[in-house]
Structures are given as C-alpha cells and as structure tokens.
C-alpha cells in the first residue's frame, strides 16, 4: 500500500484526540448555579400612619352638630304643680372625634 | 526497440503532440481519494521554449492499440488533466511535464450544493465540522462520514465511489496477470490497525426553564361580631403589598384585598353600630406569585459501535472518544440578573392599590411559549435543538463507523497486468486463482506504465480487501431517542405561604416568634392587662426553597449501541 494511504488511515484512527477543527470535545463542568433557598418578606406597619386600634366605635368627645338638629316629642315633661311644661328631646345629633355622626334618641315622657 | 502494437497519444492544449514524445514513455497514476498524476517528456521544438505558457494547459493521455501494420484498433482515454510543472532540460533539449488530473482543484471549485449532490447520505453537523470551511474542506468533512471516495474518472469527471467491492468489473486469471514472485502479492494489515469497537461519550448540555406559580394570602381569624367585641389591630393594604412584593426571587403577578367591613349595623346580639372610617385596613388579601429558574442538564449518551464478527476474530480493538455540544439559552435574561428580584410593576385595577381595588391583571409573567406543566405543576421547557442534536450525534456515529470500515480494508492485493484502460480507482477487480490467490476488491491505487524503450505497457494494480472475520449486518446509524428528565415530585412541592394570625395582649404570656407566617398584631384594648405581651404589627410571607431535583446541575446518562459490519471480501490463498 502507498505510504500516503497508510498515513491517512492512521491519522483517521488517531485524530479523535482533538476535533478536526480543534473544537472542544469535552465540555467544562457546567456552572454551578446558586441554590434557591426559602425566602421570607416582612412588612411592618408604618409608624407615621395613625391607624386607630379598631376601625369602629365612638370616639370621644361628642360634639353636637347643631342645636337646630334637635327633635322633640309631642308630649312635655310637666311639673308636679302642673304649671310648667318642659319640651322632651326626642333626638340629638353629634359628631365624634372621627367626624362620624352619632345620633342619640330619647324616649317620650309618660 | 521491438515492434509495438500500442502507442500513447498525448494531446496538449488541443494539439496532438504524440510524435514529440521521447522514449521515456508515459506513466499515469491514480489513487483513491487523491490526485491523479502523469508524467511525460516532449522533445523541444526549435525556437523559443515558453515554459510559463505551458502551465495549466489541458492534457489528455490515451492508449492506442494497433495492428502490426499500424491500423488503429482502439483509442482509450487514460487520464485528463492539466500541466502542473513544466521543466526544460537544455542538455537533452526536452521538456518534461508533470501533470495532474486536478482532482483537488475540481472539488474546490464545486458549490456546496454540488458536493451535497455528489455525496448523498453523508452526515454533516456544524457542531462537528467548521461551518466556514471552503468547498474542499467541506467535501473532505462529508467524506469522513461516508465509506467512499471522490475521484476523477479518466475523462476528468468527479464521481463518488463506495469503498465496498461491487460486482467485479474485470476478472483476471493466470493468463491475464504478469508473472511475478508471486504473481499476486497479498499483504494483510497488522491487527493493531483494526478498530472494531468505538465508545463515544457524547455530552449534550442544555437548559430547562421552569416557572412555578403559587397562590396564597392572608385571612383575618375573627368574625365581624368577634372583632367588634374584641377588636385587634389590622394590617393595611400597603403592608400587604410591601410584604408580597418583598419576596426575593418571586415575581408578584397579581394581588387583591378584602377591606375591613363597611359601616353599618351588625346583628351581634345586641346590634352593634360600626363605622368604618379606615379604608386602608384589610381583613384579607390574596396574591399570585411567579418563580422562574433554570436547570442545566448534561445529557451523556454513551454510544458503542461494535463490529462483532471482527471482535470475535481479531480480538477487541477499541477506541474511546468524546464529543460535546450545547444549546445556548439566556439564563440571566430569564431568571433575572440577581435571582429575578424584579420589583413588580403592577398596574392597579379599580383603585390605586393603597385604598382600593386590586393589582395586576393576572396575565403578568406568563409561562414561556411552548412550556408545558410537569408532574410538579411547574411550567417546564427544554431549550434543546433536537434537529441539530440528531445531526451532531449521527455525524459522530458515522465518522466512527467509517473509521471501523477503513481500518478493515487496509489489506492489499498487488499485481500487474498488461495495460488495461478499463482499470480505474472506481472499479472492482477479481483475481481468480492466480498463484493460489483468489480475491475481490476495489482498486485503491493503480499506475498505467507505457515504456517506449522496452515496449512494455502494463497496469500495476492495488486492491483493497475488506476483511472482518465474517459478513455481518450493520444497523442504521440513526440518532437514539434522547433520555427525558422527569424527577418524581415530593409530597408537597415548595410554594408560598402567607396565612396565619398571631395576637398579643391576649392575656397570655405567649411571646412573639419572628418565624411566624401571616399577621402579628394585638388586641386593643388588651384582653387582660396582666400579663401584657405586645407583638409587632407586621405581615410575613414565606416561600419555600426550590427543590434541588429541579435546580441542581443534573447529568442524564443513557446508552445506545450500533453494529457496524465491515464487508468481508473474497480472499483465499492456497499454499
């Protein structure tokens, strides 16, 4: 056989040590990615937010909205001597410290 | 010089210059996979000798037979080519011409499409070969995957010829072969040159992208009437949003809130008039988070090619090789530069998010196109190119297969016959019982010698004999089915947890635990003043870790096996 042929055949048997194009035949180890651990998020209430302890209830003090808002019962309180009759308040309207409307309602005199 | 019944005919640049040939004669040599070469010597014509102009000129050599009377019987072309190197010998006044059939140049001038057409069935992968290769390199690369060669025919055409012996074109008996010692010389290649097992470790690296979607939220633990009887602090929308958005590595897709009960009279026996003038307080929220990450897979397929008959005949002759390819995927772009802690830029729907409405339309951060949900309910997508992968793996297998075949056909039968223009490297010849030798093989090298001095015209022949112990059947060299990665999910897949209620100032001595998930507040006023343990007013959201099985770099081994059966050509030697 010719020397050239033998040489080519021998080369073809051994050349795998490197790729014909010098390409990387073995990949480097893959980059190890960081684990994805458990995470937590905590959010505290902002101190500058004046959040009342509850969302409801009547906040003192109560301030009457307008004396004209008062309503009266038809019946009167009458003095024992029968000379004086005092109007009996039926309802009064107030606003509390949170500007919420508060209504007081009273019974009619006997 | 004796009587010749043949004559060489040389046509140089369209002119028959046979009459100017010296007695040196003409020799043409061809070799499988190499350039054909021929040499001839012309007497110089009187006048100037234009050596330079001779370079590249077309030349043909033909073999002409004639009768004793000079009648032409046949004229057959032996080789077509060009003058490569002209030389002038001033002493003899001759011009010697070294010519080639320009096989390499002709291939180099072919288009890649033409090369493809010449080498059907070849494998070619840009992950094995150089994409920018020129035509000659491209053809050589393709030929590494084919058991055959590209050679010039006598007329100069490039043709592909398989190595495997065909049905014999010419059969020679003792009378047709020149005597020699022996007339047919058989040389077998050393056993060490045989390759009958190849183990390829082929690593394919790719990324799997995952998207996990988790829904959770927080709900206040007391009923309306319980709240009105034993009120507590409550979280705000702002707190909930900050907690939900603060979950590092998780993207907030959407969020909605349950506001504190509205102003009204509640039948709590007795009735309670309740005025809600704190719209920022909430008694619940729900949210959907999205987690994106990737996993690197090294798919390692161990491919074994075996020539079983050869192994059992000659012993195992093994080569181990490695190869790798990878498919790129922009991990950072997908995961985000720092673990995808992207602040959610969610639009508010029906409010500003601080005092009403919800956040996000729910369509933010959709799964990648083509992703499918796995057993874990994660959206999963393999970023592979299986077409390129199959081409790559089949190219590697084909190269190894061709190397097996090549290593089994290094055996030679050498003999000489009277010049036969029908012999070429494309031909299969049979020797039938000459000097005890019978064999069949394809021509790998040959030389036509036309010696004008002795009048001898002969053809020296070298046949390749493929020997493999016995005939076998080769497997189709198709890429195997790739392995899949589908780890079993744990009983509970990691998720997001936001629920839980913990209240201080409840008259117990329970102290606050920072690890508590959900809301931590206080009864206001305290349920009892002693002991009085006050908690912070905060919301906590927890996300589990992403399981290593879907995160850690993973090697995915697999195997594939192929039988490569080199031809077992006819060969017998009788002592």
């Amino acid at each position: 056989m010719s020397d050239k042929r033998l040489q080519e055949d021998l080369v073809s048997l051994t050349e795998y040590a490197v790729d014909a194009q010098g390409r990387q035949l073995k990949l480097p180890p893959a980059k190890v990615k960081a684990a994805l651990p458990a995470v937590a998020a905590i959010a505290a209430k902002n101190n500058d937010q004046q959040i009342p302890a509850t969302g409801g209830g009547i906040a003192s003090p109560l301030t009457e909205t307008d004396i004209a808002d008062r309503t009266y019962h038809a019946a009167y309180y009458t003095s024992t001597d029968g000379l004086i009759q005092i109007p009996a308040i039926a309802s009064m309207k107030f606003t509390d410290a949170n500007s919420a409307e508060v209504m007081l309602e009273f019974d009619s005199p006997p | 010089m004796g009587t010749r019944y043949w004559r060489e005919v040389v046509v140089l640049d369209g002119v028959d210059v046979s009459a100017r040939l010296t007695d040196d004669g003409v020799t043409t040599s061809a070799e499988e996979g190499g350039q054909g070469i021929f040499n001839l010597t012309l007497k110089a014509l009187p006048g100037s000798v234009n050596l330079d102009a001779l370079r590249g000129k077309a030349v043909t050599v033909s073999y002409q037979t004639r009768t004793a009377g000079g009648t032409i019987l046949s004229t057959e072309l032996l080789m077509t080519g060009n003058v490569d190197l002209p030389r002038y010998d001033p002493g003899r006044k001759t011009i010697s011409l070294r010519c080639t059939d320009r096989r390499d140049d002709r291939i180099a001038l072919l288009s890649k499409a033409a090369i493809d057409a010449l080498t059907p069935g070849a494998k070619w992968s840009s992950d094995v070969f150089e994409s920018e290769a020129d035509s000659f390199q491209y053809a050589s690369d393709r030929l590494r995957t084919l058991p055959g060669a590209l050679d010039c025919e006598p007329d100069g055409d490039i043709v592909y010829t398989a190595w495997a012996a065909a049905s014999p074109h010419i059969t020679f008996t003792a009378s047709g072969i020149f005597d020699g010692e022996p007339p047919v010389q058989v040389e077998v290649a050393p056993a060490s040159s045989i390759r009958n097992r190849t183990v390829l470790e082929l690593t394919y690296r790719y990324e799997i992208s995952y998207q996990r979607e988790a829904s959770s939220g927080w709900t206040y633990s007391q009923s309306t009437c319980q709240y009105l009887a034993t009120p507590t602090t409550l979280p705000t929308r702002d707190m909930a949003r900050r907690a939900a958005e603060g979950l590092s590595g998780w993207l907030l897709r959407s969020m909605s809130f349950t506001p504190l009960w509205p102003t009204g009279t509640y039948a709590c026996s007795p009735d309670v008039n309740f005025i809600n003038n704190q719209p920022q307080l909430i008694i619940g929220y729900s949210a959907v988070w999205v987690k994106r990450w990737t996993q690197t897979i090294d798919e390692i397929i161990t491919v074994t090619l075996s020539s079983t008959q050869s192994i059992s005949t000659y012993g195992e002759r093994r080569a181990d090789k490695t190869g790798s390819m990878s498919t790129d995927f922009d991990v950072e772009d997908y995961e985000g530069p720092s673990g995808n802690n992207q602040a959610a830029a969610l639009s508010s729907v029906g409010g500003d998010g601080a005092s009403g409405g919800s956040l996000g339309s729910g369509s933010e951060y959709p799964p990648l196109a083509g992703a499918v949900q796995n057993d874990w309910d994660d959206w999963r997508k393999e970023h592979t190119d299986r077409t390129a992968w199959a081409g790559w793996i089949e190219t590697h297998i084909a190269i190894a297969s061709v190397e097996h075949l090549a290593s089994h056909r290094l055996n030679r039968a050498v003999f000489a016959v009277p010049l036969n223009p029908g012999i070429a490297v494309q031909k299969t010849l049979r020797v039938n019982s000459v000097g005890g030798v019978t064999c069949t093989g394809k021509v790998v090298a040959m030389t036509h010698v036309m010696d004008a001095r002795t009048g001898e015209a002969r053809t020296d022949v070298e046949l390749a004999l493929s020997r493999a112990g016995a005939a076998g059947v080769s497997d189709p060299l198709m890429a195997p089915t790739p392995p899949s990665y589908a780890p079993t999910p744990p009983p509970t897949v990691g998720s997001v947890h936001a629920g839980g209620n913990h209240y201080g100032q409840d008259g117990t001595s329970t102290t606050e635990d920072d690890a508590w998930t959900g809301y931590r507040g206080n009864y206001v006023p305290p349920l009892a003043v002693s002991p009085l343990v006050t908690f912070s007013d905060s919301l906590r959201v927890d996300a589990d870790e992403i399981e290593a099985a879907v995160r850690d770099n993973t090697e995915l081994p697999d195997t594939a096996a192929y039988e490569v059966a080199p031809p077992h050509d006819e060969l017998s030697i009788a002592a």
Side-chain angles (χ1 to χ4, degrees), chain B residues 344-366:
Chain B
L346 295 182
S347 57
S348 298
V349 178
D352 61 5
S355 60
S358 57
L359 295 167
S361 66
S363 60
E364 284 81 0
Y365 313 118

Side-chain angles (χ1 to χ4, degrees), chain A residues 36, chain B residues 212 293 376 378 490 492-494 545-552:
Chain A
L36 299 171
Chain B
R212 183 168 297 180
W293 76 96
W376 303 53
D378 290 328
T492 308
V493 173
E545 68 165 344
I546 298 301
E547 297 79 2
V550 287
R551 169 60 173 177
D552 287 356

Side-chain angles (χ1 to χ4, degrees), chain B residues 87-341:
Chain B
R87 274 207 194 90
Y88 178 61
D89 180 341
R92 295 178 61 201
K93 295 195 187 307
T94 58
I95 300 166
S96 63
L97 301 177
R98 189 182 79 191
C99 309
T100 73
D101 64 6
R102 298 188 68 225
R103 178 249 186 201
D104 294 356
D105 284 347
R106 285 167 200 256
I107 291 174
L109 292 171
L110 291 172
S111 67
K112 289 191 176 178
I115 292 167
D116 289 349
L118 274 174
T119 53
K123 302 291 180 188
W124 190 92
S125 163
S126 64
D127 292 293
V128 178
F129 300 124
E130 186 54 60
S131 299
E132 308 302 319
D134 60 23
S135 285
F136 185 77
Q137 184 61 47
Y138 179 71
S140 303
D141 290 341
R142 285 180 68 86
L143 285 171
R144 284 183 66 198
T145 69
L146 279 181
L150 287 180
D151 293 299
C152 286
E153 291 185 311
D155 64 3
D157 281 353
I158 299 269
V159 294
Y160 171 79
T161 311
W163 288 342
S167 179
H169 297 95
I170 308 171
T171 297
F172 296 97
T173 57
S175 64
I177 291 184
F178 281 129
D179 282 341
E181 280 301 326
V184 178
Q185 175 132 17
V186 175
E187 293 173 17
V188 295
S192 54
S193 66
I194 291 172
R195 166 102 62 79
N196 51 31
R197 179 157 284 157
T198 304
V199 178
L200 302 169
E201 188 189 277
L202 300 176
T203 304
Y204 178 39
R205 180 170 297 168
Y206 62 89
E207 298 286 335
I208 301 176
S209 67
Y210 294 91
Q211 171 153 328
R212 183 168 297 180
E213 301 180 357
S215 300
S216 189
W218 169 81
T219 307
Y220 185 46
S221 52
Q222 296 204 97
S223 68
T224 318
C225 291
Q226 286 171 330
Y227 170 74
L228 293 172
T230 55
T232 65
T233 56
L234 287 170
T236 64
R237 288 165 199 276
D238 170 66
M239 286 168 70
R241 183 173 179 174
R242 280 188 282 121
E245 290 181 348
L247 206 52
S248 174
W250 291 75
L251 302 159
L252 180 60
R253 171 183 281 174
S254 63
M255 193 168 190
S256 62
F257 308 95
T258 308
L260 180 59
W261 297 287
T263 296
T265 301
Y266 290 85
C268 293
S269 56
D271 288 359
V272 176
N273 280 325
F274 173 64
I275 296 162
N276 178 353
N277 54 7
Q278 304 294 328
Q280 64 271 54
L281 296 181
I282 56 171
I283 54 169
Y285 78 87
S286 63
V288 179
W289 290 267
V290 169
K291 174 73 184 176
R292 288 177 169 178
W293 76 96
T294 59
Q295 180 177 32
T296 306
I297 301 292
D298 275 0
E299 186 179 283
I300 304 171
I301 301 188
T302 303
V303 177
T304 305
L305 291 92
S306 304
S307 299
T308 309
Q309 298 287 2
S310 171
I311 292 169
S312 59
T313 306
Y314 312 116
E316 180 171 326
R317 310 279 171 180
R318 168 172 161 163
D320 288 11
K321 302 171 176 184
T322 58
S324 65
M325 77 169 274
S326 54
T327 298
D328 292 336
F329 176 67
D330 194 336
V331 170
E332 255 196 14
D333 185 54
Y334 181 72
E335 291 192 350
S338 56
N340 78 21
N341 186 15

Side-chain angles (χ1 to χ4, degrees), chain B residues 4 6-8 24-30 63 65 78 172 176-180 183 414-423 445-462:
Chain B
R4 285 202 280 155
W6 61 268
R7 179 173 167 259
E8 62 276 64
D24 293 345
V26 179
T27 303
T28 71
S29 300
Y63 177 71
T65 55
L78 299 181
F172 296 97
I177 291 184
F178 281 129
D179 282 341
V414 181
F415 55 94
V417 300
L419 196 144
N420 187 328
I423 296 175
M446 50 146 298
T447 303
H448 293 305
V449 179
M450 288 162 281
D451 188 333
R453 273 192 203 90
T454 63
E456 181 181 66
R458 72 171 197 277
T459 305
D460 295 332
V461 182
E462 232 178 82

Side-chain angles (χ1 to χ4, degrees), chain A residues 2 9 23 26 33 45 55, chain B residues 31 129 207 234 275 410:
Chain A
S2 73
D9 288 331
R23 214 180 286 271
K26 191 102 176 164
K33 293 171 187 165
K45 195 170 282 174
Chain B
E31 193 172 9
F129 300 124
E207 298 286 335
L234 287 170
I275 296 162
L410 298 175

